[in-house]
Amino acid sequence: MKTFHYSIEKNVQICIALFKANNIKKIVASPGSTNIPFVGSVQGDPWFEVYSCVDERSAAYMACGLAAESAEPVVLTCTGATASRNYMSGLTEAFYRRLPIIALTSTRPLSSIGNLSAQVIDRTAIPNDIVTRSVFAPLGRNEREEWDCKIQVSRALSSLRRNGGGPVHINLETECSFDFSVEEIKDIQPIEYIKINDSFPKIPQGGKIGIYVASHSPFNNELTIAIENFCEIYNCVVLCDSTSNYKGKYKIMSSLLGGQDQYDSVIFHLDLMIYIGHISGAYESMHLIQRAKEMWRISDDEEIRAPYHNLTKTFAMSEYDFFGYYINGVQEKYHTSLYEVCLKDYNNLYSKISSDLPFSNIWIAYQMAHEMPNNSVMHFAILNSLRAWNFFEVSNSIYGYSNVGGFGIDGCLSSLVGASLCHKDKLYFGIVGDLSFFYDMNVLGNRHIGNNIRILLVNNGRGMEFRNYTHPASQFSDELVDKYICAAGHYGYQSKTLVSDYAKNVGFKYISASNKETFLSQMRDFINPNIQDAPMIFEVFTEQEEENNALHQIRNLEVSTKSLAKNFIKDTIVGVLGTEGFNKIKGLIK
């Protein structure tokens, strides 16, 4: 008969489940109060080998000897106050010997630090040479905190094996609950951490598989061929945006498919999404990752990074090593039915885009994407500018970039200028909205600017992102959104002379348009493939209502029966119970 139970504190349960999933059994426990939720949970569990040591200095060195002799990780657990300070000498030893020690220090909520709370010290700053990684494991008060705890503990455990291994620190938040009423801990699927010499998992057979390429440096030929072969062997499609820079076969621009309000493409229901690259700015397609049954991330940064809760495996290796492993020696190829279905889906949607789109950033991208000069480079300001162009595809000879790393509006022009200095014989195009332009316009006076720069300034007199019907700010009145949220009315409020005069004074050629006819006539000059005798600014004046209508139109190109039924059910429930009632029912279903 089972005689032991577990703490109700969720992060304790998560640690225990992940220790078991990673085959970590050995624990050296020191006495105290704040670590009772953990110690009280493991002391009767036959899975663990628990040893007691009063002096934390000795406990840390005991762990060193135990880890070195057994070649297994060892957990240290102590209370708050100065107890953890006594681990330092032993952890220093473990650091330089690369021993797999896990220092699990219990801490009251961080808000208690510096507020006259007894036995509370600050462990948020750690000396460089006692652990390879320090993480904070939150209590787990809600689903988001539970997921954060799982990620943080998983990162710490993965660091036991990174770069030769070494000790790690988990600062475990506690409310010192002495409630041990939990009889069973749910198993947690660990985020597998796979290195090049480990056993690789099998690719799901017969499943629908996507490769999501976020912002990425240009691919070399070897990696491109490896991805193409992988797609042919495993019936895979490559989902891209304007910054993915993948130029191989089986590529689909995912925003047009993923950004439909009333239509579910086949790519909404993938069994596996393989994520490569860095941060994605393609908001219209990011939820395709979320809706996949499982996500694998491949990166030689060796970090566990999870945009959504379906990450199951991290491959700490180069992308070529990953794809090379799965194609090595496999002869059977040419399974491309998923790509063909997605391409048919894409072409169907694209065929429904009308040239009658309202005069807007999206209409401009629709007109220009297939006309951009070969071998040029494009830089997109974040959000609205990038979004508009993500719906369309440019020539494979064109590479695209955006400041999606920090995701700020402050440096898109400066990044464009810096890039243009590398190849004076190549055209560099910047696509930018008015707030981003005025934020960074000082760089246009830089004396190093060459004639190879072309800037398309879409000036709608505000931060258009916040006026889009898809943005939460749309719940406010137009006046309130304009006044403060989207900062309308600054910088001359669509002045027809402000940018013109500035551009001419710093040596730029200036052209402008306020309607489709003028735009089309001026566009030819702007996309002229030959470098002219001056850099250029093409200012296009649009209105927020037309911008919004264009976005709505391109996101509603198709309507599926499933979406119609879903919307009918939602409208019916909202009509009877109101929005609050609908959200409660949705929460219960989840």
Side-chain angles (χ1 to χ4, degrees):
M1 180 177 176
K2 182 176 174 181
T3 58
F4 61 92
H5 297 99
Y6 301 100
S7 170
I8 64 166
E9 295 190 353
K10 288 286 188 179
N11 57 352
V12 169
Q13 299 173 33
I14 290 168
C15 281
I16 291 172
L18 288 175
F19 289 163
K20 289 183 176 182
N22 287 277
N23 202 34
I24 297 170
K25 296 173 177 284
K26 294 177 168 56
I27 299 172
V28 180
S30 296
S33 294
T34 57
N35 61 335
I36 285 178
F38 177 76
V39 174
S41 296
V42 299
Q43 63 186 4
D45 189 332
W47 168 271
F48 295 103
E49 301 173 21
V50 185
Y51 304 92
S52 177
C53 183
V54 174
D55 188 324
E56 286 84 8
R57 294 171 301 174
S58 295
Y61 279 110
M62 280 179 62
C64 287
L66 188 56
E69 188 67 20
S70 66
E72 295 179 24
V74 178
V75 178
L76 289 167
T77 172
C78 71
T79 188
T82 57
S84 61
R85 295 288 196 255
N86 294 307
Y87 281 158
M88 285 192 179
S89 55
L91 289 176
T92 303
E93 177 72 14
F95 182 89
Y96 286 107
R97 288 176 61 191
R98 298 293 185 183
L99 297 174
I101 309 296
I102 304 159
L104 189 72
T105 61
S106 296
T107 181
R108 296 185 188 274
L110 298 185
S111 58
S112 299
I113 296 173
N115 283 316
L116 306 179
S117 297
Q119 301 188 47
V120 174
I121 63 174
D122 188 349
R123 283 189 289 268
T124 58
I126 304 295
N128 291 331
D129 59 352
I130 63 169
V131 293
T132 61
R133 183 189 288 270
S134 176
V135 302
F136 175 72
L139 195 64
R141 299 170 183 85
N142 50 50
E143 184 180 352
R144 180 181 291 274
E145 272 201 1
E146 287 184 38
W147 174 249
D148 185 35
C149 180
K150 177 183 176 180
I151 288 293
Q152 297 301 334
V153 174
S154 296
R155 285 174 176 164
L157 298 184
S158 71
S159 293
L160 292 171
R161 303 176 54 210
R162 286 185 58 192
N163 300 319
V168 298
H169 171 225
I170 300 173
N171 206 20
L172 188 71
E173 185 179 20
T174 180
E175 291 182 338
C176 295
S177 170
F178 298 145
D179 183 342
F180 291 88
S181 59
V182 176
E183 295 189 15
E184 297 289 342
I185 294 178
K186 291 181 181 178
D187 290 336
I188 294 178
Q189 182 179 17
I191 298 171
E192 294 182 55
Y193 190 78
I194 301 156
K195 302 189 77 171
I196 190 63
N197 293 320
D198 294 339
S199 297
F200 281 52
K202 291 183 178 180
I203 299 289
Q205 294 298 310
K208 295 191 288 292
I209 302 170
I211 300 172
Y212 190 94
V213 188
S215 60
H216 201 290
S217 57
F219 288 69
N220 61 36
N221 193 51
E222 280 186 322
L223 179 55
T224 299
I225 292 172
I227 291 174
E228 291 175 347
N229 289 335
F230 182 92
C231 289
E232 292 172 358
I233 294 169
Y234 298 104
N235 194 18
C236 186
V237 63
V238 186
L239 305 174
C240 297
D241 74 354
S242 298
T243 66
S244 299
N245 291 320
Y246 174 77
K247 308 300 181 183
K249 294 186 285 187
Y250 314 116
K251 165 188 174 182
I252 296 287
M253 294 295 282
S254 58
S255 287
L256 194 62
L257 292 176
Q260 295 302 305
D261 288 341
Q262 304 181 74
Y263 177 68
D264 276 0
S265 168
V266 66
I267 59 170
F268 276 96
H269 310 287
L270 297 180
D271 296 290
L272 172 63
M273 188 74 85
I274 298 169
Y275 189 108
I276 63 176
H278 304 292
I279 295 173
S280 174
Y283 283 13
E284 265 64 24
S285 64
M286 281 292 288
H287 56 286
L288 299 177
I289 306 168
Q290 184 180 22
R291 291 180 63 171
K293 291 181 181 176
E294 184 178 4
M295 170 186 159
W296 295 359
R297 179 176 182 263
I298 296 88
S299 180
D300 55 9
D301 68 7
E302 300 189 5
E303 286 288 352
I304 294 174
R305 304 188 193 277
Y308 297 107
H309 293 189
N310 56 351
L311 177 70
T312 60
K313 296 174 180 62
T314 290
F315 292 80
M317 61 193 66
S318 72
E319 294 157 3
Y320 182 78
D321 284 338
F322 173 86
F323 291 109
Y325 173 86
Y326 282 106
I327 66 175
N328 185 36
V330 181
Q331 300 300 320
E332 188 178 357
K333 291 185 180 181
Y334 306 111
H335 300 290
T336 59
S337 60
L338 178 61
Y339 167 73
E340 290 159 9
V341 170
C342 289
L343 182 61
K344 183 179 179 181
D345 230 359
Y346 178 88
N347 288 337
N348 173 57
L349 290 173
Y350 194 91
S351 69
K352 296 187 176 187
I353 301 174
S354 171
S355 58
D356 291 333
L357 274 168
F359 186 53
S360 60
N361 212 327
I362 292 173
W363 180 86
I364 292 167
Y366 177 60
Q367 297 298 325
M368 292 183 64
H370 63 288
E371 299 274 6
M372 297 301 294
N374 287 333
N375 301 309
S376 56
V377 179
M378 300 190 70
H379 279 242
F380 306 94
I382 60 163
L383 297 177
N384 219 40
S385 297
L386 179 59
R387 174 188 290 109
W389 286 75
N390 278 342
F391 290 120
F392 310 104
E393 189 169 5
V394 297
S395 163
N396 270 348
S397 67
I398 297 172
Y399 290 94
Y401 303 90
S402 182
N403 288 350
V404 295
F407 237 100
I409 71 169
D410 44 346
C412 56
L413 291 179
S414 295
S415 294
L416 169 71
V417 169
S420 72
L421 300 175
C422 290
H423 304 287
K424 298 283 189 176
D425 58 343
K426 182 179 289 191
L427 284 174
Y428 285 78
F429 289 88
I431 314 297
V432 57
D434 50 288
L435 292 194
S436 294
F437 177 89
F438 288 111
Y439 206 115
D440 197 22
M441 67 185 291
N442 64 306
V443 76
L444 301 184
N446 190 288
R447 61 186 171 85
H448 296 290
I449 287 178
N451 297 338
N452 57 337
I453 283 183
R454 311 262 175 95
I455 296 168
L456 176 67
L457 164 57
V458 182
N459 188 344
N460 41 58
R462 55 184 47 81
M464 186 59 218
E465 177 68 17
F466 307 104
R467 292 303 302 266
N468 289 334
Y469 78 97
T470 54
H471 197 279
S474 63
Q475 66 183 295
F476 297 104
S477 68
D478 291 352
E479 181 184 1
L480 287 178
V481 176
D482 270 355
K483 195 169 185 179
Y484 297 112
I485 296 175
C486 72
H490 295 298
Y491 311 115
Y493 202 24
Q494 296 186 293
S495 164
K496 297 298 190 290
T497 59
L498 177 60
V499 177
S500 171
D501 291 346
Y502 181 78
K504 292 170 185 175
N505 283 325
V506 294
F508 277 74
K509 179 180 179 179
Y510 175 87
I511 56 177
S512 67
S514 298
N515 55 57
K516 291 183 178 181
E517 293 72 22
T518 308
F519 176 87
L520 291 173
S521 65
Q522 298 280 33
M523 183 182 80
R524 290 295 151 199
D525 191 14
F526 185 71
I527 62 173
N528 186 322
N530 300 312
I531 294 177
Q532 305 298 302
D533 55 4
M536 188 182 301
I537 292 176
F538 186 8
E539 185 173 18
V540 184
F541 296 94
T542 67
E543 298 301 328
Q544 68 89 13
E545 186 175 352
E546 290 191 308
E547 290 278 5
N548 215 344
N549 290 340
L551 180 62
H552 186 273
Q553 191 170 319
I554 205 165
R555 287 176 60 98
N556 290 274
L557 297 170
E558 184 70 276
V559 179
S560 64
T561 54
K562 180 179 178 182
S563 294
L564 281 173
K566 188 191 302 181
N567 288 336
F568 173 76
I569 293 169
K570 177 182 177 182
D571 292 342
T572 301
I573 294 173
V574 169
V576 176
L577 300 178
T579 303
E580 186 177 349
F582 171 76
N583 290 333
K584 284 182 179 178
I585 289 176
K586 189 167 68 170
L588 288 172
I589 292 172
K590 284 183 178 180

